[in-house]
Amino acid sequence: MGSLPTERPLKVIIVGAGLGGCATALAMHHAGFEVVMFEKVGEFLRLGDSLGLGENALKLLDRWSPTLRARLVDIGNKSELMQIRRWHDGKVLARQPLMDMAGFIGHRGDYHRAFLNAVAEQGVPLHMGSEVVEYDDTMPSVTLKNGERHVADLIVAVDGIKSRARELVLGFDDHPKSSGYACFRAFFEAAHLRGDPLTAEFVERECVNIWIGRDKHLVQNTLRNGAEVNWILTHKDTADIQESWFQPGNMHEVRRLVEDCDPRIAAVVRKTDACLDWKICYRDPIPTWVSKNHRVVLVGDCCHPHLPTSAQGASQATESAAVLAQCLLLGGRENIPLATRVYEKIRFPRVRRAQTNGEDVRDRWHSALDKVRDGQEIERDSILIKNHVLYDYDAEADTKKRWPELSALVSEELRTGQITPLC
Ligand SMILES: Cc1cc2nc3c(=O)[nH]c(=O)nc-3n(C[C@H](O)[C@H](O)[C@H](O)COP(=O)(O)OP(=O)(O)OC[C@H]3O[C@@H](n4cnc5c(N)ncnc54)[C@H](O)[C@@H]3O)c2cc1C
């Protein structure tokens, strides 16, 4: 398929082994490249809670690993339908197939473990406890905290929302801004909810429920085949933003927020010991994902973070990995700048669609009850999650199809030195 010379495979360094980094490693390895990964933390913990994986990502992962898809599907929530409910009494306003909405919902840590296992099965070296402290996009190379320097043909930074590589690529530090919302979120073993008639229905079988209210919504679902329950309460929050995955939430505040909510889910929340407080930070789209010399390239949350309502963070990172690997194959070893620049051009509009889908659904939910007087029917279509439009997409096929046109355009940009900004 590709035009790379056969003597030495392209060497790719991947910085970061989150879900996006693992997907990138699988895509690059599948393309026949030599891959080395560096990860800052010494050991991965089971962090986060529910994460959606859509068919747009699963079809790619299935091509790159013989075992991963089955493991991911097994981890995912098995409910056929999810319910969208009215805040104060839980009346079901709409039902929607789960596979049209977020795809497979599972615990981020469980999915991450499956991704890491798939990477290990392919024999890709992953160096844990190896923080990259410096990038050089001329060689290109990375320098680790212990002083070691590693050179490759291409550096792919998949280093998350607090990316150091983004600064290098942009030439300035891109600060987060508040989205105006925060989430309180908790997950825990569900056994003690089974004995209470008020809460039992949320743990007896696998389920996904969403309560929509004015300027807030609460998502509840089971994890690990019903052994665990997860709830995420999104609410208005204009407090100072502190981007943290670990800040403890104030349970008094949470209980106050659900005082007027469906008593059944309010009881689940009351039976929760502790939660986390996530300020939902936002970043404006950035004008480039590729360094000046075209050999350090961003993938995943570091260049395209998503709101939780997008349910596409890991899936879009997987698509980005696929497009980058295809561009490198199509361009060949001598044309890495062409490949990285075509990559960002293909990815930017697609990612924006997934990002704005998340904003759109949040806004529709938070205003739905304003549009009708209480008690009146809400138009079902106005509150559905519309992610299914993202699932048919095949990132690899699209790259092959668009390569001739976009590579001609980018060749001209590289010749004149006038790279058009993404935004
Ligand atoms: C702790 C945590 C919890 C999350 N929880 C959820 C959730 O519950 N639901 C959801 O939908 N999404 C969640 N997300 C986001 C989701 O995981 C991402 O949208 C998706 O997986 C794509 O992320 P990524 O791989 O691009 O970045 P990340 O998942 O952030 O991974 C980046 C990796 O790069 C490593 N790294 C960073 N800097 C360096 C460096 N200088 N050198 C070496 N390594 C470095 C980090 O340690 C990390 O492992 C969470 C993310 C994190 C980090």
Side-chain angles (χ1 to χ4, degrees), residues 14-22 38-41 44 47-52 106-108 112 127 130-133 135 144 158-165 185 230 232 245-246 278 299-308 311-315 317:
I14 297 174
V15 182
L19 284 106
C22 290
F38 294 108
E39 166 55 50
K40 176 170 71 172
V41 305
F44 282 119
L47 296 178
D49 46 56
S50 295
L51 179 138
H107 194 287
R108 175 186 178 275
H112 192 197
H127 301 279
S130 301
E131 180 176 358
V132 169
V133 292
Y135 293 85
L144 305 184
V158 201
D159 58 347
I161 194 98
K162 295 179 187 171
S163 168
R164 184 187 290 262
R185 46 201 307 163
N230 180 205
I232 304 175
W245 304 108
F246 308 107
W278 285 28
V299 166
D301 277 11
C302 61
C303 56
H304 52 74
H306 290 259
L307 289 179
Q312 274 279 308
S315 300

Side-chain angles (χ1 to χ4, degrees), residues 42-43 61 71 100 147 183 187 229 233 243 263 265 290 310 358 392:
E43 189 191 353
L61 296 166
R71 279 192 221 142
D100 279 1
C183 296
F187 78 95
V229 70
L233 168 58
E243 219 171 17
I265 190 64
V290 179
S310 279
D392 273 350

Side-chain angles (χ1 to χ4, degrees), residues 13 22 55 88 91 116 118 169 186 198 223 239 259 289 317 325 344:
I13 286 179
C22 290
E55 192 52 43
H88 72 266
K91 179 188 169 193
L116 287 164
V169 162
L198 212 50
L223 293 165
E259 263 168 10
W289 299 358
E344 63 172 6

Side-chain angles (χ1 to χ4, degrees), residues 217 219 234 306-312 354 357-362 365 385 387:
H217 69 271
V219 181
T234 300
H306 290 259
L307 289 179
T309 38
S310 279
Q312 274 279 308
N357 255 11
E359 293 166 32
D360 170 58
V361 72
R362 179 199 63 196
W365 283 350
I385 301 176
N387 265 2

Side-chain angles (χ1 to χ4, degrees), residues 58-75:
L58 287 177
K59 76 178 71 158
L60 299 168
L61 296 166
D62 197 29
R63 289 174 198 158
W64 307 333
S65 157
T67 52
L68 187 52
R69 184 191 173 99
R71 279 192 221 142
L72 300 175
V73 169
D74 189 45
I75 291 167

